[in-house]
Amino acid sequence: MARKFSPIVALALIFAVFYDPDTFEPESVRDKRVLITGSSSGVGEELAYQYCKLGASLVITAKHGVLIRNVASKCKQFGAKQVEYVVADLGRPEDRKNVVGAAKKHLGGGLDYLIFNDEPTDIRVWSGSAEDMTALHQQMDAGFFSYVDLTSKFMQMLSSSKGKIGVVSSISAKFGLSHHSLISSNQFALQGFFGSLRQELQLAQKGVSVTSCVVGYDSTDDVNSNAISDSLPNEVNLVQNSAVNATATAIIKAVTKGTHQLYYPRLVWFSFNVHKFIPGYVETFFSSNVHQSHRPAAKSAAAA
């Protein structure tokens, strides 16, 4: 005889998911040593500003030199205790070596927070061409293998400080979307690796936490619009137009508390779970949303 699912149990589960007491203490971040990748714009940029306002010492990286220099300059205006920037393409081993060297030099040989945030990414229709394969290799080198490499190189420092790792991704880390083959491939790999690493660190009692942050997109997210033709969609407003500063705040709180998984905003969690039951509908909704967001611009261009 099948068991009946008690409404009380259902309510308890919903409460457990949505009830998140705010136990974050800003002073706990003061004087911490933080490294953030992909800091030239969007959420990564806002993370840099908020960490410096909280009194942390920063090393920030991005492959766009002018943009990352501007972010570092603004951090100093916000009263950053210490901020250094490294212009680096993380897909290049020599650039990763420079990032490790800069962190050791400017952060006193230690590291408390390692935050991985994506750089701009191509959005394309997969055709299986040689160009697609090259783009996929580049994506995985810069957005996956580089994270694994840097984590490995910083692990001793993180273990010494009982540090924290934060990996920022999108809903594409949970299910595939049209035009997102490169992004989803990369982010699924991140979820798998860092999910396994979290458990291994717990079993080894290293004291290092790993937080996976699945966040919604907004209009200032890191998207390489120059690489998108007029026939392709912009990756904006896929879930909810969540303010960048609120997203960054949620990430900082979750990483500081050592939360295993952050979904922000709550609609991201809802979308992920509804997808388990009606995947076809959810995927169609998201794909249609992507195309709808691009059609007005295309029509305007045609009219002109």
Side-chain angles (χ1 to χ4, degrees):
M1 183 176 178
R3 292 184 179 179
K4 292 184 178 180
F5 194 69
S6 170
I8 297 178
V9 174
L11 289 172
L13 288 173
I14 294 173
F15 179 79
V17 168
F18 285 94
Y19 177 67
D20 183 19
D22 191 354
T23 58
F24 173 69
E25 297 181 3
E27 281 298 315
S28 65
V29 181
R30 184 173 298 280
D31 296 327
K32 296 299 183 183
R33 299 155 295 183
V34 182
L35 171 66
I36 310 172
T37 70
S39 304
S40 61
S41 63
V43 172
E45 178 182 2
E46 182 62 26
L47 283 169
Y49 297 153
Q50 293 200 24
Y51 269 116
C52 76
K53 290 176 182 178
L54 289 168
S57 297
L58 301 180
V59 169
I60 55 178
T61 77
K63 59 185 177 184
H64 302 289
V66 174
L67 295 178
I68 195 66
R69 281 193 292 271
N70 290 340
V71 173
S73 177
K74 289 182 181 178
C75 284
K76 292 176 181 178
Q77 294 176 17
F78 287 135
K81 181 178 180 181
Q82 180 179 3
V83 57
E84 302 291 339
Y85 70 88
V86 183
V87 180
D89 178 352
L90 296 183
R92 297 164 55 89
E94 57 269 32
D95 284 10
R96 297 198 296 270
K97 184 177 179 180
N98 292 338
V99 170
V100 173
K104 290 181 177 179
K105 177 181 178 181
H106 298 294
L107 298 179
L111 186 65
D112 300 295
Y113 290 72
L114 177 58
I115 311 295
F116 292 118
N117 182 66
D118 273 344
E119 293 263 25
T121 303
D122 276 357
I123 302 172
R124 62 171 66 206
V125 175
W126 180 265
S127 66
S129 65
E131 182 183 356
D132 284 347
M133 289 302 301
T134 298
L136 179 59
H137 280 290
Q138 292 173 341
Q139 175 67 39
M140 297 301 289
D141 284 342
F144 175 66
F145 291 115
S146 66
Y147 290 11
V148 175
D149 186 30
L150 288 175
T151 299
S152 302
K153 287 179 168 58
F154 284 123
M155 186 53 69
Q156 184 175 353
M157 297 166 66
L158 289 166
S159 296
S160 298
S161 65
K162 306 298 181 183
K164 302 176 184 299
I165 301 171
V167 183
V168 182
S169 58
S170 70
I171 197 68
S172 294
K174 294 300 183 180
F175 54 84
L177 295 173
S178 173
H179 300 81
H180 290 63
S181 53
L182 302 187
I183 300 172
S184 285
S185 298
N186 181 89
Q187 295 191 355
F188 267 74
L190 288 174
Q191 289 285 312
F193 175 80
F194 282 99
S196 296
L197 179 64
R198 177 194 300 117
Q199 297 176 53
E200 292 171 2
L201 291 171
Q202 288 176 333
L203 290 172
Q205 298 182 340
K206 292 286 188 179
V208 179
S209 65
V210 178
T211 300
S212 174
C213 306
V214 181
V215 301
Y217 297 104
D218 61 70
S219 57
T220 62
D221 263 321
D222 294 338
V223 179
N224 188 0
S225 58
N226 293 328
I228 307 174
S229 71
D230 287 340
S231 63
L232 296 180
N234 284 319
E235 188 186 5
V236 294
N237 298 318
L238 290 183
V239 178
Q240 178 173 314
N241 188 16
S242 174
V244 179
N245 58 355
T247 301
T249 298
I251 291 170
I252 291 174
K253 289 181 177 181
V255 173
T256 301
K257 293 188 289 186
T259 303
H260 286 185
Q261 185 86 58
L262 168 70
Y263 292 98
Y264 188 86
R266 296 294 188 186
L267 189 55
V268 174
W269 175 89
F270 180 78
S271 301
F272 166 60
N273 283 281
V274 169
H275 179 264
K276 296 177 181 178
F277 300 98
I278 46 174
Y281 176 82
V282 174
E283 291 169 9
T284 299
F285 170 78
F286 276 101
S287 295
S288 299
N289 185 286
V290 169
H291 286 283
Q292 289 287 346
S293 68
H294 188 73
R295 281 176 184 168
K299 290 180 179 178
S300 297

